[in-house]
Each structure stands twice: as C-alpha cells, then as structure tokens.
Amino acid sequence: MNWIEQFTNMIFPLDRRKLNIEGAYLLKNQHLPSSIFKYREVNENSIKNLEEDTIWLADPSNFNDPYDCAHTVDFSAIHKKSETEFFAKFMEERGSDLNLSDKQKSNLFASKNPIDDLIDMLLVKETPERKEGIKAALISAQNKMHEDLALANSKSIASSFKLCSFSERNDSMLMWAHYAYYHQGFCIEYDLESIPYSDYRRRFLYPTIYSDEMFDATKHLMKGVEDESFNNLYLSLSALVKAKDWEYEKEWRLVFANGIFNSERAYHIGKPKEVYLGTKISQKNQERLVEICTRRNIPVRKMKAHHSLFKLEPSSLKDAEQHFFKEKV
C-alpha cells in the first residue's frame, strides 16, 4: 500500500468510525512537494491572477476531462437492498387493492424477490409471451431509471466541488501544449513550504488518484445518513479519482467540497515563487509578463529546449533565446 492509499483510507474511510483526519494530514505533510505549478495561457484572466496572487476555483463541468469529479452508483443494487422494505410499505398502502389471498401474501413476504413474484401473480391470466413482454418492458424502464438516477446523482455531487489543479512538475511538454497554449503561455510556481500547516491552501490540497475504474459510491449510498458509520467526507474521493491516462500530469488539487462555495471564484493563493515563460511565447507577451514580475519582484525564467534530448529546462531569458523553436507570430 502506497502513502496515497494510506492517506485516503485515513481521511475518506467508508466507515466514519475509522476516521483519522489529523493522522492523514500529518502523513500527507510528509509527502507534499516543496512547490506546485500552474500552467497558464496568456489572457486577461491569467494576468489578473498573477497581479493579484489569486487562482480560479472552477466548476468541474468546465474542465477538459468529461469524467472529472464523476462517480458511478449501482442503483439496481440499492434497489435490491431496499426492495423488501419498499414491498412492505407498498403492501401496507396498496395491498388491499390487489385482491390477494392470505396465502399469496404470505408467500410474497417470504420471497427473496417479492416484486417479481407479485408481477407474476398479477399477470397470471396473460399468455407466457405477453407476460414476458410486459416484464421485459418493466425491467427496461427500471434500468433506464437507474441510469438516469446515477447520472443525475453524479452531476449533483460534482457541482458541489470547486477546485483548482496544479502539477508537481514544470517541464511537461504535454502540459505546456495543453494548458499553456502550445508553449506560448507561462507557468507559475507556488511555494508550499511557506504555507502554515493549518491553512486551507495546505489542508485542502490533495494528491490525485489514478485508476482504471471510476469512483463507486454504491456502498456509501446504501448506508444512508442515519447509519452511525456514515462518513459525509467519503464522496470527496470522487474529486480525486481520475483515469490513468492523466497520470503524467502528477496532479495535486485544491478542493473545496460539500458546497462550501456555491459558485466559481478567485481565491488568494499567495505570491508566486517564480514564473516560467513558454519556449514559443510571443515577444509582446514576454515583455508584458517580465514587466509584471520585475515590478512585483518575482523571479522569471524561460523554458529552453535541450539540444539533444526531448527535454525542457528553465534558463535565463538570454540563454533561452538560443534554441531551435521559432517564435509564433
């Protein structure tokens, strides 16, 4: 078991009686990177964030991953678990309308699948073909209802998160391409070591978990809030689980969950430790960013393409100009 698995088991256990929040934060603190990086396109929003020492807490629906903060729920399993309770309530309210004998009622209450057996009793006069057709239609409608419930539940939970993504690295050619406008943007370094242990910027910063499977909330939702072991933090895991295709990003996420913020907003993150310019940044944008960083006393360097390796390295502005990438005008 790696430290991330240990951490999530301590802070997001299915059973809240196993919660160890402070132990989890102490463990995470031992593995925090000294800095995190945010890749940016040059636009008015990113310039404003740089000037004001802010980041943008976004809604997951605006991210480039269609699965971001999503989870799956097996509502058929939940339905199965609650079927006996539902049937008892149904019979109490509507049983007198069904004209069932006491023996039939007794058999239904003793059945493992009382609703299926009730349907068979109600359709007893139908031909086998018609009976199977009606049952197939009911099953199809039920499955569609379960799929709709799962999607609606996932969207509802996802909308309760507001978050910002960072990376452990500033030299990813893919992230420079994807998030910094094809190497024409910039990357901001934020120092974590200067942030106090109890600060939300450190407390709510979590490592991303890469998996082949979506986060499954079925067992959690089966419990119900009245269960003494119900852990309302458990669903926060859905904001951290991503497909393994994203593993190269080495992502950390600042996550505000459970509707703490009901809309997207700027959030104070602190003065950047350093700013890195992309290899293809325009002269105009380079001058603009250098002016801001110089005025604010923020060190600035530029990424330089290695002469023989597929590798980017931060260099002085003068040294970085000596590379084979041409500026995109």
Side-chain angles (χ1 to χ4, degrees):
M1 181 184 296
N2 62 36
W3 80 264
I4 294 179
E5 291 174 327
Q6 290 180 307
F7 170 74
T8 54
N9 287 342
M10 294 166 79
I11 196 168
F12 303 125
L14 187 61
D15 187 335
R16 71 176 179 187
R17 291 168 296 191
K18 296 180 180 179
L19 266 173
N20 184 359
I21 294 176
E22 289 310 313
Y25 284 135
L26 285 171
L27 176 62
K28 183 187 72 172
N29 201 51
Q30 296 171 17
H31 296 274
L32 274 179
S34 58
S35 293
I36 49 177
F37 301 89
K38 182 72 178 173
Y39 293 84
R40 303 301 303 265
E41 179 181 343
V42 180
N43 56 37
E44 293 309 310
N45 291 328
S46 62
I47 293 295
K48 182 178 175 66
N49 289 151
L50 179 60
E51 289 270 22
E52 298 179 353
D53 299 335
T54 58
I55 54 171
W56 187 251
L57 295 176
D59 191 286
S61 63
N62 294 321
F63 285 6
N64 61 353
D65 180 2
Y67 286 101
D68 215 299
C69 294
H71 66 268
T72 184
V73 179
D74 185 354
F75 274 100
S76 62
I78 293 176
H79 173 83
K80 195 73 174 176
K81 181 176 183 293
S82 60
E83 184 174 1
T84 301
E85 180 181 340
F86 168 79
F87 178 74
K89 185 175 182 181
F90 173 80
M91 290 299 291
E92 180 183 342
E93 295 178 356
R94 303 293 300 277
S96 59
D97 300 334
L98 301 177
N99 296 318
L100 298 175
S101 68
D102 290 341
K103 183 178 180 180
Q104 286 177 314
K105 291 179 182 179
S106 178
N107 288 339
L108 286 173
F109 277 109
S111 172
K112 291 182 178 180
N113 300 294
I115 294 179
D116 287 348
D117 290 348
L118 175 60
I119 292 173
D120 285 336
M121 288 181 184
L122 296 177
L123 299 177
V124 68
K125 295 182 179 180
E126 302 290 345
T127 64
E129 293 80 9
R130 180 167 169 74
K131 183 188 295 186
E132 290 305 313
I134 293 173
K135 289 181 72 173
L138 289 171
I139 291 171
S140 177
Q142 186 180 67
N143 289 339
K144 179 63 167 58
M145 180 188 71
H146 290 156
E147 290 176 7
D148 291 345
L149 282 171
L151 180 60
N153 186 269
S154 183
K155 286 183 176 180
S156 175
I157 297 299
S159 67
S160 71
F161 298 115
K162 299 297 176 285
L163 55 98
C164 186
S165 297
F166 303 89
S167 174
E168 290 185 12
R169 54 188 302 203
N170 67 349
D171 60 353
S172 168
M173 283 188 280
L174 281 176
M175 283 193 282
W176 274 105
H178 294 165
Y179 304 118
Y181 196 54
Y182 311 109
H183 298 258
Q184 297 173 64
F186 62 111
C187 180
I188 306 175
E189 178 179 3
Y190 296 104
D191 178 23
L192 292 181
E193 293 180 337
S194 62
I195 299 177
Y197 173 79
S198 60
D199 194 295
Y200 284 169
R201 294 170 296 170
R202 197 178 183 105
R203 284 294 260 199
F204 294 165
L205 186 68
Y206 301 107
T208 296
I209 302 163
Y210 300 102
S211 173
D212 289 323
E213 299 178 349
M214 290 175 65
F215 171 67
D216 191 336
T218 305
K219 290 181 180 179
H220 175 70
L221 295 180
M222 275 184 172
K223 284 178 175 287
V225 294
E226 70 281 353
D227 192 308
E228 66 175 358
S229 67
F230 187 85
N231 179 13
N232 65 341
L233 297 178
Y234 185 71
L235 284 179
S236 295
L237 268 174
S238 62
L240 307 181
V241 178
K242 296 187 67 174
K244 284 188 175 180
D245 282 355
W246 300 100
E247 198 164 10
Y248 73 92
E249 293 189 346
K250 296 186 180 297
E251 184 182 0
W252 285 75
R253 303 188 130 192
L254 183 63
V255 180
F256 290 85
N258 299 319
I260 293 176
F261 295 134
N262 57 14
S263 61
E264 298 180 316
R265 65 187 60 211
Y267 189 80
H268 181 78
I269 190 65
K271 185 177 178 180
K273 181 178 180 179
E274 190 164 358
V275 167
Y276 305 87
L277 308 180
T279 58
K280 293 185 177 183
I281 193 168
S282 70
Q283 187 63 34
K284 178 182 177 182
N285 284 337
Q286 176 168 312
E287 291 174 358
R288 186 179 186 186
L289 290 170
V290 168
E291 186 279 322
I292 294 171
C293 292
T294 301
R295 170 166 44 83
R296 302 203 60 223
N297 196 30
I298 300 171
V300 58
R301 285 188 284 173
K302 189 172 183 178
M303 303 306 289
K304 180 180 179 180
H306 194 278
H307 69 281
S308 62
L309 301 174
F310 290 123
K311 183 179 180 181
L312 298 175
E313 299 174 317
S315 303
S316 68
L317 296 181
K318 182 178 180 181
D319 288 345
E321 299 305 327
Q322 302 169 14
H323 64 76
F324 53 80
F325 282 140
K326 292 183 180 180
E327 174 192 323
K328 191 168 183 178
V329 180

